[in-house]
Amino acid sequence: MDSKYKTGSLINGSSPQKNGPSQDDGHLPKKFRSDDSPHSKGYSNSSINKHRRSLPVFAVKNRLLDEINNSPTIIIIGETGSGKTTQIPQYIHEARLEKAGAIAITQPRRVAAITVALRVATEMGCAVGHTVGYAVRFEDVTRGDTKLKYLTDGMLLREALSDNLLMMYNVIILDEAHERTIHTDVLFGIVKQAQSIRRAKNFKPLKVILMSATMDVDHFSAYFDDAPIVYLQGRQYPVDIMRTTKSHEDYNFAILVTVFQIHREAPPNEDILVFLTGQEEIEAMVFNARLVAKDLMKSAPHLRVLPLYAALAQFQQLEVLRPGLPNTRKLILSTNIAETSITIPGVKYVIDSGMVKLRTHNPMTGMDSLKVQRISKAQAWQRAGRAGREGPGTCYRMYTEEEYNKMAEMTVPEIQRCNLSGVVLQLLAMGVNALSFDFMDKPPTESIMEAMRKLSHLNAILSVNHPELTPLGRQMATFPLDPHYSRVILAAWEMGCVEEVVTLVAVLSGENLRVTVSKRREDAAAAHQKFVSSTGDHITNLNIFRAYNSAAMKKQFCFDNFLNNRNLEYAGGVRSQLLDLCRHSNIPISSCGQDSDCIRKCLIAGLFGNLAQLQREGHYLTVGSNQVVAIHPSSVLFRSKPPLVIYGEVVQTGRCYMRQVSSIDPDWVAQMAPTEFQRKLCLNGAG
Ligand code: CDP
Ligand code: MG
């Protein structure tokens, strides 16, 4: 198509054939037939029925059910789109293998849990929340008699806090196991333990199923006592790989050029999927692509530009899954969420930036950062594969062969690169010391020790050598939050500003409230000015939320003030859930009115590890770890230089930028932070 690209290898249709799948549908014993199910009314929709029967997994339904029946644990490998997530739980339910219990199906992402539950409810002809339901953080759409419960891995882990044998479930499916999220990794150990204790105590048995696209199966099988592996014959057509011949400084521009080249030449029903790194980058490209598309209006088919990322409202995510309109091309700009979690119909072209935004943690400096980095080879192939689900396709890689060769084979599991304080706390709340926990891949001991030190500073445990939960720690574990933020809320209890702090934490758990990408950048800045607090982003966000909350016409208010309605709506939802949790824990909902100082003091109680001090040379150094950091351009403090600031997170894009920044009075540190941190502050010369 373009001399910039070099054609490379093709992905061909064959997948590993160990224990090769039987292609015959076989004849199900009568009791296994789906039309006997009480939901058979739902199956009367013949197009859904046809769709279900056309999925690769349907061909091996019998064998799968046999395997599931015969072994306590099985591993199922199949390409994305083969029907694992939507079909296998239904097969199990049709065969009543869950007996009187329920089937849990975990997903690393909330979007996937929700959309899949909706899809399965449609297929079964029932309303979501009845036989099929979902539970994600801050939203539980299930009832007591829900049989197929799609939930995030984090939610199942929470449930294990109150019952580590997970007695509610007779079948637990850990889906997308290859993603190796921190929660899934912990769940491997938890379900393995629950299974063996239930067996030893003669309780009802627990069936465990691991499902995944591609992964290091032998490693998984060995960990789960040589569990059998079933391969599904995926539907994979050849994908032509095109690579750039020179590396790109700015891949965003190169991607846009490629998008519009395809758009001008390809038939309109062939959709394009672009892999980018995060919401801001995606929104910027959505904006630019729409501008270009408008210019091309007459000379090309209509282009529908659709963003896809985790924080997007549900209806917008569903938009992506809807089949295309006639004479219209879909351009989907997505994070790695579209790698495996979500199957998008109609995609023929994939454009891969080769980058991903990952949370990483440096146990030496104790710093967490969101870092844009190269994907692994496994991810590169997974992304390319998305172009060949319905027919032959093409993948444009925005990186050279040399850059590809330098990529790691597999992504490092999150548990080996992330801050472990949340996990260590949750394990302790279940009575387990992370140091002796049976991890599939043990995180570095130093990371566990560092998490223990953090928990000890937070007063969540007695001491590093005596890691027993304090009453405060026990209370922290009840919040579905990072322990640092649970601590901030508990500090607000003492300080009398629970309402404000809960609102802040709710806002922080979502995405940006302010719309910054717009043709009217200056108007936006002017509109935002009235919310700005000179103390920083936290109080500014609080001002925005308060104004929004009291506005009568919320949508109009957001439009007029360049605010993101859905992010505010999301924050509002999280806020009411957190307030409910507080009431549940007998924490009174106090308010400090206009006194913003006490709110920022509470931040120190949890985020004392995130302080940065202005140096004589004009840059900031983090307290304790001495990393050079700068205030992010999106912060309201960008143009000012307070001597001491507290930040929410560090993003690494070339430089290390602090986000969610507020100024802090050094005297408050003495009042709110553990002594060790006060000493560090003095050493750096401010205190
Ligand atoms: O889990 P796996 O990737 O193997 O496949 P799946 O999520 O069960 O999806 C199987 C098929 O169901 C997809 O190829 C889509 O055609 C369809 N599906 C859908 O239409 N809407 C969804 N929300 C999920 C799946
Ligand atoms: Mg799936």
Side-chain angles (χ1 to χ4, degrees):
M1 156 169 236
D2 186 317
S3 58
K4 286 199 314 279
Y5 296 107
K6 209 163 74 186
T7 311
S9 37
L10 297 176
I11 302 180
N12 64 36
S14 62
S15 40
Q17 282 292 309
K18 200 165 157 186
N19 297 343
S22 66
Q23 287 296 313
D24 63 322
D25 174 18
H27 290 282
L28 287 174
K30 185 105 179 41
K31 67 172 177 154
F32 285 119
R33 279 190 193 276
S34 60
D35 40 8
D36 273 353
S37 111
H39 310 285
S40 57
K41 279 197 284 313
Y43 292 173
S44 62
N45 184 331
S46 69
S47 76
I48 282 186
N49 220 340
K50 221 165 117 191
H51 168 85
R52 292 192 64 199
R53 287 169 175 273
S54 74
L55 291 170
V57 68
F58 183 73
V60 291
K61 180 175 176 177
N62 269 353
R63 223 193 102 219
L64 266 178
L65 285 171
D66 282 349
E67 289 277 9
I68 293 170
N69 241 334
N70 295 339
S71 337
T73 306
I74 77 162
I75 299 172
I76 303 172
I77 307 290
E79 272 308 338
T80 314
S82 49
K84 299 182 298 299
T85 311
T86 55
Q87 306 306 306
I88 292 173
Q90 291 189 69
Y91 298 166
I92 294 173
H93 176 58
E94 285 158 23
R96 297 293 183 270
L97 297 185
E98 81 277 14
K99 304 201 175 82
I103 308 165
I105 311 103
T106 66
Q107 298 292 313
R109 297 192 173 81
R110 57 181 273 131
V111 204
I114 299 169
T115 54
V116 168
L118 291 171
R119 169 74 194 179
V120 173
T122 307
E123 290 188 6
M124 290 176 56
C126 63
V128 74
H130 298 183
T131 306
V132 185
Y134 66 86
V136 297
R137 189 164 74 143
F138 303 124
E139 204 182 347
D140 184 352
V141 186
T142 61
R143 322 190 285 208
D145 60 349
T146 295
K147 286 293 187 177
L148 278 71
K149 181 164 169 186
Y150 288 89
L151 73 180
T152 52
D153 45 12
M155 284 302 289
L156 189 61
L157 202 51
R158 290 238 121 238
E159 291 185 5
L161 276 181
S162 48
D163 174 16
N164 63 357
L165 296 184
L166 296 158
M167 292 299 282
M168 213 182 114
Y169 304 104
N170 285 344
V171 182
I172 292 180
I173 302 178
L174 302 178
D175 200 359
E176 309 280 10
H178 62 278
E179 284 219 15
R180 303 293 305 269
T181 61
I182 204 163
H183 290 145
T184 298
D185 257 35
V186 176
L187 281 173
F188 291 151
I190 298 287
V191 296
K192 188 178 167 186
Q193 178 189 299
Q195 194 181 42
S196 87
I197 296 178
R198 275 161 68 162
R199 191 183 302 128
K201 293 196 170 170
N202 243 341
F203 291 163
K204 54 183 191 167
L206 174 63
K207 192 87 48 201
V208 175
I209 301 173
L210 293 117
M211 303 203 299
S212 162
T214 44
M215 66 178 184
D216 183 0
V217 276
D218 295 336
H219 188 47
F220 276 68
S221 175
Y223 177 75
F224 284 101
D225 307 322
D226 296 321
I229 305 160
V230 178
Y231 289 94
L232 305 178
Q233 173 76 68
R235 221 193 276 135
Q236 177 65 60
Y237 296 88
V239 174
D240 214 348
I241 305 284
M242 314 286 256
R243 300 188 193 92
T244 56
T245 45
K246 59 175 180 39
S247 45
H248 287 289
E249 279 291 299
D250 176 9
Y251 64 74
N252 283 286
F253 180 72
I255 288 175
L256 273 177
V257 170
T258 309
V259 162
F260 284 98
Q261 219 158 4
I262 298 170
H263 186 50
R264 272 196 299 264
E265 292 169 10
N269 58 333
E270 300 182 348
D271 297 340
I272 308 172
L273 170 63
V274 181
F275 284 100
L276 294 168
T277 61
Q279 175 172 359
E280 277 167 45
E281 189 181 58
I282 288 171
E283 289 296 353
M285 194 176 288
V286 165
F287 181 73
N288 289 323
R290 282 184 184 152
L291 278 187
V292 181
K294 220 167 154 189
D295 280 348
L296 287 178
M297 206 78 123
K298 297 214 168 57
S299 56
H302 184 59
L303 186 71
R304 276 178 76 215
V305 187
L306 302 166
L308 180 63
Y309 46 84
L312 209 59
Q314 200 178 305
F315 77 94
Q316 278 185 301
Q317 285 165 354
L318 292 176
E319 196 64 18
V320 173
L321 299 175
R322 221 163 272 155
L325 306 167
N327 204 32
T328 298
R329 185 191 319 285
K330 278 200 288 187
L331 167 64
I332 301 121
L333 306 173
S334 174
T335 57
N336 60 343
I337 201 168
E339 259 170 38
T340 58
S341 290
I342 289 184
T343 308
I344 305 164
V347 174
K348 182 100 173 167
Y349 300 93
V350 163
I351 303 177
D352 177 11
S353 66
M355 306 302 270
V356 65
K357 198 190 273 178
L358 279 187
R359 184 171 295 283
T360 48
H361 180 73
N362 183 342
M364 299 314 290
T365 61
M367 272 176 53
D368 245 342
S369 63
L370 274 173
K371 197 169 160 190
V372 172
Q373 55 193 68
R374 284 247 169 257
I375 55 173
S376 64
K377 286 181 183 155
Q379 276 178 296
W381 286 106
Q382 188 60 40
R383 288 179 176 193
R386 308 318 310 258
R389 291 292 174 248
E390 293 166 9
T394 309
C395 171
Y396 294 86
R397 289 181 169 167
M398 294 293 129
Y399 40 91
T400 62
E401 189 158 9
E402 204 187 350
E403 284 166 323
Y404 170 80
N405 289 334
K406 278 193 227 148
M407 288 175 178
E409 293 297 325
M410 294 275 179
T411 314
V412 180
E414 202 176 18
I415 198 136
Q416 296 189 322
R417 59 179 159 80
C418 277
N419 172 3
L420 294 178
S421 40
V423 161
V424 170
L425 179 70
Q426 283 200 326
L427 284 173
L428 284 172
M430 285 180 237
V432 181
N433 185 333
L435 286 171
S436 54
F437 186 67
D438 177 19
F439 285 104
M440 184 183 292
D441 291 290
K442 219 177 178 54
T445 306
E446 180 45 37
S447 299
I448 298 178
M449 291 313 290
E450 196 221 335
M452 296 273 194
R453 278 194 293 277
K454 278 200 170 136
L455 291 174
S456 152
H457 286 145
L458 286 166
N459 283 330
I461 58 175
L462 293 177
S463 75
V464 175
N465 298 324
H466 193 47
E468 198 176 297
L469 286 189
T470 60
L472 188 70
R474 203 157 286 286
Q475 229 159 2
M476 281 162 62
T478 61
F479 285 93
L481 297 169
D482 180 283
H484 298 90
Y485 285 98
S486 316
R487 182 71 187 86
V488 172
I489 290 181
L490 293 172
W493 182 11
E494 282 167 48
M495 306 283 289
C497 50
V498 172
E499 194 274 333
E500 287 81 7
V501 165
V502 160
T503 306
L504 252 188
V505 172
V507 166
L508 290 175
S509 66
E511 297 281 330
N512 216 343
L513 301 185
R514 288 173 286 158
V515 175
T516 46
V517 189
S518 163
K519 268 181 283 187
R520 296 161 57 205
R521 213 175 265 264
E522 271 107 66
D523 294 345
H528 294 157
Q529 197 51 42
K530 60 177 163 295
F531 305 114
V532 169
S533 156
S534 59
T535 65
D537 298 318
H538 295 97
I539 306 299
T540 301
N541 279 334
L542 192 58
N543 291 342
I544 292 175
F545 187 87
R546 279 177 172 158
Y548 164 85
N549 211 25
S550 56
M553 316 265 280
K554 297 205 167 9
K555 262 204 168 128
Q556 186 63 38
F557 173 83
C558 288
F559 182 79
D560 293 343
N561 291 290
F562 297 85
L563 298 175
N564 190 317
N565 184 45
R566 61 169 182 267
N567 290 355
L568 275 156
E569 217 171 289
Y570 177 77
V574 174
R575 176 175 172 269
S576 18
Q577 298 272 343
L578 285 175
L579 289 175
D580 281 348
L581 272 171
C582 287
R583 286 184 200 106
H584 196 76
S585 307
N586 293 321
I587 297 174
I589 314 300
S590 49
S591 165
C592 60
Q594 297 303 318
D595 173 17
S596 91
D597 287 3
C598 79
I599 301 170
R600 283 177 296 144
K601 281 183 192 170
C602 293
L603 289 174
I604 303 175
L607 302 177
F608 51 82
N610 297 0
L611 292 169
Q613 232 174 342
L614 184 65
Q615 304 299 303
R616 234 173 256 121
E617 298 79 7
H619 62 266
Y620 282 91
L621 275 187
T622 57
V623 174
S625 46
N626 290 326
Q627 296 281 305
V628 177
V629 286
I631 295 179
H632 195 273
S634 69
S635 167
V636 300
L637 293 183
F638 180 53
R639 297 198 187 285
S640 57
K641 294 215 158 175
L644 182 65
V645 295
I646 199 159
Y647 58 85
E649 63 184 1
V650 168
V651 229
Q652 207 170 328
T653 40
R655 298 175 74 178
C656 284
Y657 285 108
M658 300 179 279
R659 282 216 296 218
Q660 303 142 19
V661 189
S662 281
S663 70
I664 290 294
D665 185 333
D667 291 341
W668 300 343
V669 180
Q671 192 186 337
M672 306 298 296
T675 355
E676 189 188 317
F677 277 81
Q678 296 166 31
R679 210 177 52 235
K680 283 180 180 163
L681 193 64
C682 295
L683 281 179
N684 283 1

